[in-house]
Amino acid sequence: MKKIITAAVVAASTAVLFAYNPPMGGEEFLRLSNPEMLSGASSSATGGPSANVIPASITYNPALPAGNELITFDLSGTALINYDKKDYDKSSGYAFETGVIVPTKFASFAFTTSYTCSEMVGMPIGKILDIHTGASKDVLDWLSVGANIYFRSYSATDMDRKYGFGTDVGAVAKFGDIAFLKNVRLGASLLNVGKSASFTTIGINPEKNCSKYPTIMTPRGGVAAQFFESGKWKGFFCADLCMPTFLTNAICDLAFEFAYGENLKLNTSWQYNIREWVEGGSDGICTISLGVSYRFGTKIGKKESSVIPSFATQSLYSGILALSAGARVDFGQRDTSGAEIEMW
């Protein structure tokens, strides 16, 4: 009986393995529309190296906004430029995103929507409208949990519109300082628990049929911490591992952030998709991407808030370059004062 069960599991795993064939960029298209996601500053199960949580972060872990104190709004866009275009290929694509985080005394609520259009041969993911909304809460001093629901509308080249929907769940644990590492955080999420859609487009292996994307039941986990501080300079890192359909692929992410005071941040990230490399379609996104943010105060209503512009660039697949820009607004100021106690 054990042999029969083992054989069935191996056969099922093998079938899934050979059926797995999303297009280039199909697993990570939600990063493309925002510079902070693209540069690795927020695209992580831990919220990025310094827990730089934006509305789009819920697409990687819905528990991330739980600790937010301020209402956060962002708007961003990305131009995808095919500088190695062939005669039959598209010359460009685009993506944009907007969202908001609203913290309350009961929970933090987040909403984000993005639209991505890429019909270039090097990244043929089609046209995708994505809508995520979620809620998160600190259930313990060191533990946050959250959940999303999402809806997607797909329209690939020469295909009718199709739809996907489902849910994501996630958690973030905070462990404080461990040895020389400060603010150590672990994040874990299970994404795309629902329905995806498939199209007649070009997969990682162009000789096989393209599979549904992003892949359902995708676990993601990560760790992040501050690893040095010298004067006004601070250094942070995060590392993520994503495994679409558990054992069919592994996507590794590593990001660093270097901050000077509260005003200037520099991010660099590296991503490696093992199946894309194995199939010979790409060496992965091994080039460095940069994101720079400058924070300055401005009066919005009666309180001084922060407007944070950001920029990023990354070389993607087959001569496709992403140029991304956006801005985030944090309404109000964080309470950094201690509690006031009145005696009578």
Side-chain angles (χ1 to χ4, degrees):
M1 185 64 179
K2 291 182 179 180
K3 291 182 178 180
I4 294 174
I5 294 174
T6 302
V9 171
V10 171
S13 300
T14 303
V16 172
L17 178 65
F18 283 99
Y20 178 79
N21 194 37
M24 292 289 188
E27 295 289 4
E28 297 285 311
F29 74 90
L30 290 168
R31 300 172 66 246
L32 298 174
S33 56
N34 187 289
E36 296 189 71
M37 297 287 284
L38 193 68
S39 66
S42 300
S43 53
S44 166
T46 57
S50 63
N52 190 43
V53 178
I54 62 174
S57 296
I58 67 171
T59 62
Y60 278 58
N61 189 340
L64 290 171
N68 269 41
E69 300 175 12
L70 307 178
I71 295 175
T72 299
F73 170 81
D74 76 341
L75 178 67
S76 61
T78 301
L80 303 171
I81 302 170
N82 189 355
Y83 60 83
D84 193 24
K85 175 183 176 298
K86 304 297 188 295
D87 291 340
Y88 54 84
D89 200 0
K90 298 281 186 178
S91 60
S92 62
Y94 58 88
F96 58 84
E97 178 269 341
T98 187
V100 64
I101 298 173
V102 181
T104 71
K105 64 180 180 179
F106 303 107
S108 287
F109 298 94
F111 171 84
T112 181
T113 182
S114 66
Y115 185 79
T116 305
C117 176
S118 175
E119 298 175 311
M120 295 170 282
V121 171
M123 194 169 62
I125 59 178
K127 302 173 182 178
I128 306 176
L129 171 67
D130 179 89
I131 300 172
H132 270 73
T133 186
S136 56
K137 184 177 179 62
D138 290 327
V139 293
L140 297 171
D141 290 341
W142 58 273
L143 180 65
S144 304
V145 297
N148 294 331
I149 56 173
Y150 66 81
F151 170 82
R152 294 190 183 106
S153 171
Y154 299 77
S155 178
T157 306
D158 299 325
M159 291 295 296
D160 293 333
R161 190 170 300 278
K162 295 185 178 181
Y163 302 96
F165 53 85
T167 186
D168 311 315
V169 293
V172 178
K174 308 175 185 70
F175 294 98
D177 299 344
I178 300 177
F180 67 94
L181 298 176
K182 296 182 178 180
N183 189 24
V184 178
R185 308 181 311 281
L186 294 178
S189 57
L190 184 61
L191 308 176
N192 307 316
V193 184
K195 178 183 180 296
S196 293
S198 60
F199 303 101
T200 306
T201 187
I202 304 172
I204 295 174
N205 184 338
E207 297 180 0
K208 298 179 180 179
N209 292 332
C210 179
S211 62
K212 297 179 179 181
Y213 61 95
T215 305
I216 61 171
M217 302 292 288
T218 297
R220 176 180 288 272
V223 59
Q226 177 183 325
F227 66 92
F228 89 86
E229 181 173 0
S230 178
K232 290 187 176 183
W233 284 100
K234 293 181 181 179
F236 308 84
F237 82 94
C238 73
D240 263 36
L241 178 64
C242 171
M243 301 187 72
T245 317
F246 293 97
L247 297 177
T248 56
N249 191 13
I251 303 172
C252 308
D253 289 272
L254 180 64
F256 292 92
E257 180 176 298
F258 300 94
Y260 183 77
E262 296 296 325
N263 294 327
L264 186 63
K265 294 181 179 181
L266 176 66
N267 299 286
T268 179
S269 66
W270 176 84
Q271 184 184 88
Y272 199 71
N273 186 314
I274 291 177
R275 280 300 294 273
E276 291 179 354
W277 174 73
V278 168
E279 296 292 351
S282 170
D283 290 331
I285 304 175
C286 300
T287 55
I288 295 174
S289 63
L290 300 175
V292 179
S293 298
Y294 185 80
R295 180 187 298 268
F296 56 92
T298 184
K299 286 286 185 179
I300 300 178
K302 295 182 179 180
K303 296 183 178 181
E304 186 169 305
S305 302
S306 296
V307 179
I308 308 165
S310 55
F311 311 90
T313 180
Q314 189 170 70
S315 179
L316 297 169
Y317 307 93
S318 303
I320 298 173
L321 179 69
L323 299 173
S324 186
R328 184 174 90 241
V329 182
D330 293 330
F331 292 92
Q333 294 175 305
R334 289 178 174 82
D335 184 5
T336 58
S337 61
E340 295 184 4
I341 302 175
E342 294 185 3
M343 304 293 291
W344 66 90

